[in-house]
Amino acid sequence: MTFSRVCDLSEVPAGEALKVAGGGKEVAIFNVNGELFATQDRCTHGDWSLSEGGYLDGGVVECSLHMGKFCVRTGKVKTPPPCESLEIYPVRIDGRDVFVDFDAGYLAP
Ligand code: FES
């Protein structure tokens, strides 16, 4: 596992999302009540950024293009039209630093 530092914790306040990039991938970091989760940034239904064009409500992000919803913990679809899950990524906090392992994205079983 290779974790890369992506941001300071203050850049992702609770209820917010931040797009980060590394290893040729764009990942959305979501802060759900102080707990961080990371998914692929692009909606699986279209070319749309979930960190910039999504609404985070609890642990669910709604894509603002067609209102599909995903669980940010598992990447699974909660509300269509998307039918494919998001890849999720390991995320780690060390002090104020946030790290993501861009090589370890996977689809939750
Ligand atoms: Fe996200 Fe259609 S592009 S729901």
Side-chain angles (χ1 to χ4, degrees):
M1 290 200 143
T2 310
F3 281 89
S4 304
R5 184 191 181 281
V6 291
C7 65
D8 187 272
L9 198 49
S10 64
E11 295 176 69
V12 201
E16 300 285 324
L18 179 72
K19 187 197 298 196
V20 298
K25 295 170 184 163
E26 291 186 326
V27 166
I29 311 265
F30 298 99
N31 185 331
V32 180
N33 301 322
E35 202 175 350
L36 298 189
F37 299 94
T39 72
Q40 71 182 67
D41 187 54
R42 185 181 178 279
C43 181
T44 57
H45 183 248
D47 190 12
W48 201 251
S49 165
L50 293 172
S51 61
E52 295 169 346
Y55 305 111
L56 184 62
D57 185 10
V60 173
V61 62
E62 180 180 61
C63 177
S64 63
L65 197 53
H66 306 111
M67 311 312 167
K69 293 183 183 176
F70 300 91
C71 172
V72 300
R73 297 167 194 268
T74 65
K76 293 194 183 291
V77 175
K78 302 284 282 184
T79 305
C83 54
E84 292 174 36
S85 298
L86 301 170
E87 280 199 331
I88 53 177
Y89 290 80
V91 57
R92 202 174 74 189
I93 304 170
D94 185 2
R96 305 289 309 167
D97 296 321
V98 180
F99 296 82
V100 169
D101 188 340
F102 290 100
D103 296 328
Y106 66 100
L107 292 172

